Amino acid sequence: PTGFFYWTQGVYVDTSGTFALEVPDNADVRVGFSATSNAVVVQEDGVWEDDHVWSTATMHIPAGTTQVDVGAIYPNSHHGALHICADLTHAHNYFRDLGWDVTRVDVQWPDDDEGNSQYDPFWDELHIERDAAWNDATLCHEWGHYWHEMHAHSVTVDYCNGICDDGDCGHCGWCPENDAVTWIEGCAQVISRLCTDHIAGLVPFQVEHKQIATPEDWASCDWIPWDIE
């Protein structure tokens, strides 16, 4: 209810995006929502790292009303935050149900400061570029790094090895790297594909996948299968 504002209750939407909650009748209410789940909190990149939250316009519930259908609710900005939240919640729940749960992770978006999306192991945060919010494969790849850090053998990685650096330290999917890069990135690639295959069976839209089924021989680098991601 609005006026002297107070919080009534909070609920999670189900897998179809539907929610239900109880509010008093003969009251003015607003529905607030955020890109938060059991798996992820999507936040603005910056000093304060504010959560992405939105609110509907005020609506009046007449006296005696027992049920109100508010219809579809959309954010008025930063729509990608909800896609990030949905994708990574599906990924998290998939591995949780396999017996490999992880704690909820913060995601900073949009973050174009580093020139690429990445997982920061020091802060245990994902940093996602603005355009990558809709790239299911990239989202699941970066979450895969987080899962790997929590459950698998983690190694120190130096991407500055002269391969696919392009003026900055980096890596390529089908060019040879050192053992550490091959291990870290290869695991994230496989986790990404497992997650996007799972998501594709749950959602009504076309999911973007990492292409790992068919090896590629790039002319720009040597073909050394053992040392590629």
Side-chain angles (χ1 to χ4, degrees):
T2 58
F4 182 72
F5 180 80
Y6 64 91
W7 174 276
T8 57
Q9 61 179 295
V11 296
Y12 286 119
V13 300
D14 62 22
T15 55
S16 67
T18 302
F19 70 94
L21 50 80
E22 294 183 0
V23 297
D25 64 344
N26 194 27
D28 294 325
V29 302
R30 288 181 294 170
V31 178
F33 55 105
S34 66
T36 303
S37 73
N38 62 306
V40 61
V41 179
V42 187
Q43 304 171 323
E44 297 179 13
D45 179 52
V47 175
W48 304 114
E49 298 186 353
D50 294 326
D51 296 354
H52 282 286
V53 296
W54 306 267
S55 177
T56 66
T58 301
M59 61 189 82
H60 181 72
I61 300 180
T65 301
T66 59
Q67 185 172 348
V68 176
D69 184 353
V70 299
I73 298 175
Y74 299 97
N76 55 13
S77 66
H78 294 85
H79 303 71
L82 291 178
H83 185 76
I84 294 170
C85 183
D87 261 8
L88 298 188
T89 301
H90 286 313
H92 171 275
N93 291 348
Y94 175 52
F95 272 82
R96 177 202 62 194
D97 294 346
L98 291 173
W100 297 95
D101 203 358
V102 290
T103 57
R104 186 160 62 180
V105 64
D106 290 347
V107 177
Q108 311 301 316
W109 177 84
D111 183 359
D112 295 325
D113 294 341
E114 300 300 324
N116 63 286
S117 298
Q118 59 182 284
Y119 164 65
D120 185 336
F122 183 81
W123 297 108
D124 277 337
E125 292 179 339
L126 276 61
H127 292 258
I128 305 298
E129 289 186 292
R130 181 178 297 276
D131 291 344
W134 305 99
N135 189 313
D136 313 290
T138 295
L139 296 175
C140 291
H141 177 98
E142 300 307 331
W143 184 85
H145 282 306
Y146 169 62
W147 185 93
H148 189 179
E149 181 74 13
M150 298 298 105
H151 282 298
H153 174 58
S154 185
V155 295
T156 301
V157 177
D158 180 11
Y159 291 103
C160 300
N161 54 19
I163 303 174
C164 294
D165 289 345
D166 295 328
D168 196 3
C169 303
H171 61 93
C172 291
W174 297 101
C175 285
E177 290 278 1
N178 58 45
D179 290 346
V181 175
T182 302
W183 168 245
I184 290 291
E185 294 299 332
C187 287
Q189 294 284 69
V190 172
I191 291 171
S192 174
R193 186 55 191 259
L194 289 172
C195 289
T196 55
D197 281 348
H198 173 70
I199 292 171
L202 301 175
V203 300
F205 55 82
Q206 183 68 40
V207 174
E208 186 165 350
H209 303 280
K210 291 289 186 182
Q211 198 294 103
I212 62 174
T214 305
E216 298 178 11
D217 185 1
W218 289 5
S220 58
C221 58
D222 295 331
W223 174 244
I224 308 176
W226 184 254
D227 291 334
I228 61 174
E229 298 176 9

